[in-house]
Amino acid sequence: MSQFNGIINRRDGSFSLYSEEIDITDPNSKFTAPNLYYSFNEKKCGYCVAGVGISKEDEKLILMGGDDWAIAAKSQGFTNLSGHFAGICIDDESIQFFTCNSGLRDLYFIIKEDYLFFTTNYHTLFEVEKPQIDLFSLGGRWLLYNQLQNHSLFLNYPRICAGQKLLFNRKTGSIKIYPTPTFSYREHDDEAGVVKKVIKSIYQTCAVLAKSDRPLELSLSGGLDSRFLLNLLSTGEIPFSAHSFGNGDNLDVQIAAKICSEMGVPFKNLQPAELTLDNAINDVRLQTQYSLLNHPATNQNNLYYYKEVTKAGSPIIIDGGFGELWRRQFFYKLSVFGKKSNIDKDLFHTLNFFRHHRADIFSADALAEMEKGCLQDMQPLFHDYPHPSIFGIENWIDLIALKTRLPNYYAQEQTMIDGVVTSIMPFVQEYVVKFLYSFPLMYRKDSRFFKETIYTMEPRLINFPLVKGAVTVPFHLGSFTSRIYSAISTKYRKKQLRGVDFENKKLLLLKEYAHDLSSSDVVRNSLLLDNKKVAKVLNYYNGDTSKKGELAWLITMLAFLEAPTI
């Protein structure tokens, strides 16, 4: 697994460091795990990194291996690296914990008596101290699209991420946490040049990954982001294959297969596990363990798919995640309808554009605290970043999406994936994102950048429609017309597929499990939930489908509360 954990004695500075219960400070250790790098000498000085690093020297990218991490550790040169990682660096004087700027990997701590416990996987802390849910942080995770600040979901488990560092002084026992680096950006005047540099930087990412001795695989869907990457890979000289996840009748799978057939790209589709009661419950438990309430119970946990990918070898995966950033898709309604409240710093009104309904199941007291947390987390967004009237509201929105969604929505799954396979998202690398705020807005809107690049480089790809939810839309449609077309098509498709509702099938399988969870002492005594609201959602099983959309989220929360040590 791509993880480590350990204990520091604050009195004498001694420590232990493990990965999967193996002492990795042993200079003779031969232990290996995916995306784990470490090296220690006889004095137990050295480093350990969980994740993936990409360095840039002049115009050359380097996918970091053990020797590269050793050099970075010696010089403490972690600030300018791209990729996603969390690490520890130890010398005679201090123990330093560091995290990547993207926020895609994090570290959790417990300070208890004379000891500092640390881990890249918060579950390892459960045996040390029972976690206590922070209602302020829960508010952002449950009531909004994503949490707006990077605080831990647990009151007693401090978290660092997004470039934060924690320094332990081995001589004095003192602990100091360094904040996330102050945001800064550089404007680039040459708009045409910026567009070319972005294309070049994304392509270079794919090219440096291809230099590894492992095969390169593109996660391909029917959407635009992965198709843009396919376009770059196909027009270069990079050997690669593609895969998709899902049933054969899934539109993403069908479009991806047709594209690869046309382009001559080796392709495979990985089918989901059979939908049985055991598999359905296992999915819920995996979501509870890895997603921190980011996904409903009806979603299949992707850990299964990534394990399937590795059965044929150990590839490096290129993932189109967060491509929306380059086509102005995040918080779309805020950019259209919320400009005035945003510029006026109207916290209450602006917050409404970040809201996302999951399930109305909490007690009035808990909900009040959660609402306070949302409002509190909103305030720094106006204080810590350039004002929208100067920076531009679209730039401000994309900056907020980048700074809040990567650490609080994507990070948990990235940690899970790193334990199985190497997977990189080119669109969010530091050397790519630095161009975002000078990137011409007219190219980001209506997906113009991606579509025009595809038109120019590989026009065959425009002949395939784009998948949007459960329907396809013509490639040439802009964002607004695409939304209208998709909404109309979705209503028609639902009528056609009434007899094939896989979400409903999974919910029915989970009926007894959901009732058992809701009646457990742990859940009933939590004081978080309103039992009447919970019962109303569970009435789905008695024929009342008015709350069907909330049931999967309820099961997720029930399983989270019922987890053995929550």
Side-chain angles (χ1 to χ4, degrees), residues 144 146-151 183 331 334 342 345-347 350-351 353-354 373-389 391 395-405 408:
L144 309 179
N146 57 262
Q147 191 177 333
L148 297 178
Q149 298 298 320
N150 300 336
H151 309 306
F183 170 73
F331 306 124
L334 175 59
N342 189 259
K345 295 186 179 181
D346 183 338
L347 297 179
T350 301
L351 185 62
F353 291 98
F354 290 91
C374 291
L375 192 60
Q376 177 178 282
D377 284 356
M378 188 77 206
Q379 294 175 6
L381 302 187
F382 288 107
H383 298 148
D384 297 347
Y385 303 114
H387 192 274
S389 62
F391 195 44
N395 277 343
W396 187 86
I397 291 171
D398 285 338
L399 172 62
I400 298 308
L402 183 70
K403 296 297 184 180
T404 67
R405 284 186 71 78
N408 299 308

Side-chain angles (χ1 to χ4, degrees), residues 492-516:
Y492 175 76
R493 183 169 173 82
K494 282 183 178 179
K495 292 179 180 178
Q496 300 296 106
L497 297 178
R498 276 179 179 167
V500 189
D501 189 343
F502 294 102
E503 179 181 353
N504 184 60
K505 185 177 179 181
K506 192 168 188 178
L507 289 174
L508 291 175
L509 278 174
L510 293 170
K511 178 180 178 179
E512 184 176 348
Y513 177 69
H515 280 294
D516 287 345

Side-chain angles (χ1 to χ4, degrees), residues 43-198:
K43 296 173 63 178
K44 295 182 70 171
C45 293
Y47 75 91
C48 178
V49 176
V52 179
I54 301 177
S55 65
K56 185 171 185 179
E57 299 176 7
D58 298 323
E59 291 301 310
K60 182 182 178 183
L61 297 182
I62 298 172
L63 180 63
M64 297 181 68
D67 292 342
D68 304 300
W69 281 117
I71 294 171
K74 189 173 182 179
S75 64
Q76 301 288 296
F78 307 111
T79 305
N80 297 320
L81 298 178
S82 292
H84 52 268
F85 54 85
I88 179 172
C89 197
I90 301 167
D91 60 31
D92 292 330
E93 301 290 327
S94 65
I95 299 177
Q96 177 181 255
F97 298 90
F98 55 91
T99 57
C100 58
N101 292 328
S102 67
L104 281 171
R105 291 298 303 260
D106 50 16
L107 285 156
Y108 288 85
F109 301 86
I110 287 180
I111 300 174
K112 190 172 183 178
E113 298 173 349
D114 291 326
Y115 297 93
L116 174 65
F117 298 82
F118 58 89
T119 183
T120 55
N121 182 350
Y122 63 88
H123 300 99
T124 62
L125 298 178
F126 286 180
E127 295 181 1
V128 179
E129 187 172 308
K130 181 180 174 65
Q132 303 170 31
I133 294 176
D134 182 352
L135 289 178
F136 271 36
S137 295
L138 179 61
R141 283 198 173 268
W142 195 262
L143 301 177
L144 309 179
Y145 277 103
N146 57 262
Q147 191 177 333
L148 297 178
Q149 298 298 320
N150 300 336
H151 309 306
S152 170
L153 183 56
F154 308 107
L155 282 168
N156 49 338
Y157 294 7
R159 177 195 189 205
I160 67 167
C161 67
Q164 287 181 294
K165 298 177 183 178
L166 184 149
L167 184 65
F168 172 78
N169 187 310
R170 301 183 71 179
K171 305 297 184 183
T172 65
S174 64
I175 297 172
K176 182 177 182 180
I177 295 179
Y178 293 83
T180 297
T182 303
F183 170 73
S184 63
Y185 72 101
R186 175 187 168 194
E187 292 187 352
H188 302 265
D189 296 328
D190 181 8
E191 291 188 346
V194 168
V195 174
K196 291 179 180 178
K197 287 177 180 177
V198 170

Side-chain angles (χ1 to χ4, degrees), residues 17-41:
L17 177 62
Y18 300 94
S19 181
E20 298 187 38
E21 300 184 356
I22 303 295
D23 180 1
I24 56 176
T25 63
D26 180 353
N28 300 314
S29 173
K30 303 298 182 183
F31 174 76
T32 61
N35 305 307
L36 184 73
Y37 304 89
Y38 65 92
S39 177
F40 289 89
N41 62 24

